[in-house]
Amino acid sequence: AQSVTQLGSHVSVSEGALVLLRCNYSSSVPPYLFWYVQYPNQGLQLLLKYTSAATLVKGINGFEAEFKKSETSFHLTKPSAHMSDAAEYFCAVSEPSPSAGGTSYGKLTFGQGTILTVHP
Amino acid sequence: DGGITQSPKYLFRKEGQNVTLSCEQNLNHDAMYWYRQDPGQGLRLIYYSQIVNDFQKGDIAEGYSVSREKKESFPLTVTSAQKNPTAFYLCASSQGRRTGELFFGEGSRLTVL
């Protein structure tokens, strides 16, 4: 069964500092991996996704993540934090379904979330 | 604009009452999902539907029911059997044959008094 662990429920950085949010996954087959962002009392918005193409994935708002199979990790980074980055971030994993021709039906398993705080 | 509409955004109910949360999408997506969100627990899958008139239980289906009579609509009923219904509920959809990317609604916050 697939699972996701996000290390650190809260991360605090200064404006302009590097953002690093950690995600480790467990999957029996090569997975699809996602990072979503959620602002208070809103739905989730996709930041980026890994679907077995390039291991370094670039997303919106300057975020990127690197798929490292040997470490079963998919950490999210941004070189310089902005106040508007303050939100909750979720890592998610999905296993391709053989019965669906190797594509996924979107049964994502989510991590517990990491709340990012950005200080002026 | 295409998207997913959830209603109501906030809902208060007395203990023991059934409540139904609405989810409508105009993205022409085949698959739809209901997730429950509690602080510090991420999102947990309640029910999902890959096609009309078919749906499957997720990880925490007990105390919930759904229907999928139309492609665009996937309402969730929180029944009185759900022991702890106060939560933030998120509806999502996906193409179903793609890479699993989900598109989310804005959520419905249910508070049981």
Side-chain angles (χ1 to χ4, degrees):
Chain A
Q2 58 196 32
S3 66
V4 177
T5 301
Q6 291 184 238
L7 300 176
S9 58
H10 291 81
V11 170
S12 180
V13 301
S14 298
E15 192 173 18
L18 171 71
V19 175
L20 171 61
L21 305 182
R22 299 177 187 274
C23 172
N24 287 88
Y25 69 91
S26 171
S27 175
S28 57
V29 298
Y32 297 158
L33 294 159
F34 307 82
W35 275 100
Y36 283 86
V37 61
Q38 184 182 35
Y39 298 98
N41 291 312
Q42 293 187 23
L44 277 67
Q45 178 185 3
L46 182 69
L47 274 178
L48 50 80
K49 61 183 178 183
Y50 167 77
T51 56
S52 72
T55 57
L56 181 62
V57 181
K58 294 188 184 299
I60 62 172
N61 301 338
F63 284 94
E64 63 181 38
E66 186 173 7
F67 172 68
K68 292 188 177 180
K69 183 178 178 181
S70 61
E71 299 177 7
T72 61
S73 70
F74 190 58
H75 302 331
L76 182 71
T77 61
K78 182 174 181 178
S80 177
H82 191 273
M83 297 294 287
S84 61
D85 295 327
E88 188 162 16
Y89 292 79
F90 292 93
C91 182
V93 63
S94 178
E95 291 184 351
S97 169
S99 63
T103 62
S104 168
Y105 282 115
K107 283 179 59 183
L108 270 60
T109 298
F110 287 83
Q112 302 91 329
T114 298
I115 296 173
L116 175 66
T117 303
V118 182
H119 297 288
Chain B
D1 284 338
I4 299 176
T5 302
Q6 289 187 241
S7 63
K9 190 166 179 64
Y10 298 95
L11 185 60
F12 297 88
R13 280 295 182 267
K14 293 183 180 179
E15 200 171 321
Q17 290 183 328
N18 291 358
V19 300
T20 297
L21 307 180
S22 171
C23 178
E24 303 278 334
Q25 57 102 355
N26 60 4
L27 299 168
N28 199 33
H29 285 172
D30 293 319
M32 297 186 73
Y33 310 81
W34 275 104
Y35 283 88
R36 170 180 170 139
Q37 184 178 14
D38 298 282
Q41 296 192 46
L43 278 69
R44 292 179 291 168
L45 182 63
I46 305 173
Y47 268 98
Y48 65 103
S49 168
Q50 296 171 357
I51 56 172
V52 175
N53 293 322
D54 186 54
F55 49 83
Q56 285 79 40
K57 293 181 179 180
D59 301 318
I60 56 164
E62 185 175 352
Y64 299 98
S65 66
V66 294
S67 63
R68 186 87 186 275
E69 298 176 0
K70 299 186 300 182
K71 186 175 184 178
E72 309 80 42
S73 178
F74 192 42
L76 172 74
T77 297
V78 184
T79 75
S80 57
Q82 168 50 233
K83 291 180 171 38
N84 185 19
T86 294
F88 191 53
Y89 291 89
L90 287 159
C91 179
S93 70
S94 72
Q95 290 276 17
R97 289 186 180 276
R98 300 289 294 276
T99 55
E101 175 182 343
L102 297 183
F103 294 81
F104 283 87
E106 293 288 292
S108 292
R109 186 168 296 282
L110 172 63
T111 302
V112 176
L113 306 172

